[in-house]
């Protein structure tokens, strides 16, 4: 049975999207998210978490049960392998990291586009979840691979310096600003609010909007969306499972500790 690519559908229709991040691989967390009925897709931040290939399949199965899409954020060092295995598991979009220029971007695109004369990629036939219980290699299989949404982090000075060239590259369909990596890359680790970093942030969003490549804003709370909405941004990802848990535990724990100390 063919699977929907929710993010592809939304982008093609010019509709806004909302997602969140998970570092953990517990399918119940995806079920809880799906039960809200509010999110278009969930991003598994594989770059930060621990997982095996079975986890990738389980995360995608669970998202599909609730009509949600799934994105995988991968390490640069294992890019071709993780990108292809993520797509094979059912992720409809891939977020590529640590790009330093146009050649890195082209390498990513080639790795995940179909090995077919019309697409010029390196993704061949493989029996995975996305083969619909077949061997793969059918026209439908080729189209499924080709429909994968390719998103790219802009988080290195080299990528910023070649931003317009990157945004002009066919296959670059969404961009994501990365202030933590960028601040470290320019010698200001941990200073994501430095004027130079903030100027780069605005440059990424404004240039992407001008060139018609959707930028996605990562935010921590709903009130942070206004600045980006006013710019014209329509794609958001809010919160991360570990951050949400840590924030709750720290906030509520501090209040209870104060009450205990005052009793």
């Amino acid at each position: 049975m063919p699977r929907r690519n929710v993010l592809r559908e939304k982008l093609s229709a010019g509709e806004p999207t909302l997602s969140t991040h998970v570092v953990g691989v517990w399918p119940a967390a995806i079920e809880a998210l799906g039960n809200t009925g509010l999110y278009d897709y969930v991003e598994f931040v594989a770059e930060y978490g621990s997982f095996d290939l079975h986890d990738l399949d389980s995360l995608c199965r669970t998202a599909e049960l609730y009509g949600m899409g799934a994105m995988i954020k991968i390490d640069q060092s294992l890019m071709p392998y993780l990108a292809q295995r993520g797509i094979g598991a059912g992720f409809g979009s891939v977020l590529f990291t640590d790009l330093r220029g146009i050649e890195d971007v082209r390498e990513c695109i080639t790795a995940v586009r179909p090995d077919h004369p019309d697409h010029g990629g390196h993704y061949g036939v493989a029996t995975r979840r996305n083969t619909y219980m077949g061997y793969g290699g059918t026209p439908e299989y080729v189209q499924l691979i080709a429909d994968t949404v390719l998103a790219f982090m802009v988080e290195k000075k080299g990528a910023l310096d070649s931003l317009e060239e990157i945004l002009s590259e066919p296959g670059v369909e969404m961009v994501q600003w990365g202030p933590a990596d960028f601040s470290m890359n320019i010698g200001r680790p941990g200073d994501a609010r430095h004027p130079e970093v903030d100027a780069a942030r605005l440059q990424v969003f404004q240039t992407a909007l001008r060139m018609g490549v959707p930028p996605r804003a990562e935010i921590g709370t709903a009130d942070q969306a206004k600045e980006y909405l006013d710019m014209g941004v329509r794609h958001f990802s809010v919160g991360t499972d570990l951050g949400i848990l840590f924030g709750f535990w720290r906030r509520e724990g501090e209040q209870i500790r104060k009450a205990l100390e005052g009793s």
Side-chain angles (χ1 to χ4, degrees):
M1 178 179 178
R3 299 179 178 88
R4 294 178 59 201
N5 187 327
V6 178
L7 182 55
R8 167 65 63 203
E9 292 173 7
K10 296 279 187 176
L11 288 176
S12 297
E15 298 178 4
T17 62
L18 177 61
S19 67
T20 188
H21 311 79
V22 295
V23 177
V25 295
W26 190 28
I30 310 299
E31 289 186 300
L33 183 68
N35 270 297
T36 69
L38 297 172
Y39 293 83
D40 300 298
Y41 66 100
V42 58
E43 177 189 337
F44 174 49
V45 194
E47 185 189 20
Y48 306 147
S50 300
F51 64 95
D52 61 27
L53 297 181
H54 297 290
D55 292 324
L56 300 183
D57 287 358
S58 296
L59 290 170
C60 290
R61 285 191 187 101
T62 310
E64 290 165 13
L65 286 173
Y66 292 89
M68 293 189 298
M71 171 185 282
I72 184 169
K73 182 180 184 181
I74 59 171
D75 302 77
Q76 184 194 46
S77 58
L78 292 175
M79 182 276 292
Y81 177 76
L82 290 179
Q84 292 190 10
R85 291 306 305 232
I87 294 168
F91 287 92
S93 54
V94 180
L95 179 58
F96 297 98
T97 63
D98 296 321
L99 306 157
R100 289 171 169 80
I102 190 64
E103 292 307 318
D104 285 352
V105 171
R106 289 171 178 161
E107 182 182 359
C108 293
I109 294 170
T110 300
V112 296
R113 285 309 189 212
D115 185 9
H116 182 281
D118 292 344
H119 301 282
H122 290 171
Y123 195 128
V125 176
T127 304
R128 296 168 182 156
R129 281 195 71 236
N130 61 353
T131 64
Y132 316 136
M133 301 304 294
Y135 183 61
T138 63
E140 293 78 13
Y141 173 85
V142 172
Q143 189 60 52
L144 177 79
I145 304 302
D147 280 342
T148 304
V149 176
L150 307 186
F152 298 84
M153 296 294 301
V154 179
E155 55 186 348
K156 305 294 182 182
K157 189 176 186 301
L160 184 70
D161 291 344
S162 55
L163 181 60
E164 292 198 9
E165 187 178 17
I166 289 172
L167 293 172
S168 299
E169 183 70 18
V172 175
E173 302 176 281
M174 179 176 276
V175 291
Q176 169 70 57
W177 167 240
D181 266 272
F182 185 82
S183 61
M184 178 177 174
N185 183 243
I186 65 169
R188 299 186 181 279
D191 195 0
R193 296 186 178 182
H194 187 276
E196 183 179 355
V197 179
D198 198 51
R201 174 184 69 93
L202 292 174
Q203 179 183 345
V204 169
F205 280 95
Q206 291 169 355
T207 305
L209 289 167
R210 174 172 56 82
M211 296 185 65
V213 177
R216 188 183 71 162
E218 286 184 320
I219 56 176
T221 57
D223 61 308
Q224 295 173 2
K226 186 179 186 306
E227 176 189 5
Y228 295 102
L229 288 168
D230 290 345
M231 285 186 199
V233 175
R234 291 296 179 267
H235 302 280
F236 291 89
S237 195
V238 57
T240 303
D241 54 359
L242 284 182
I244 293 166
L245 288 170
F246 176 73
F248 175 87
W249 285 332
R250 181 174 62 179
R251 182 181 64 251
E252 302 305 319
E254 286 176 349
Q255 293 182 20
I256 294 171
R257 280 291 177 189
K258 289 179 182 178
L260 288 171
E261 291 167 3
S263 63

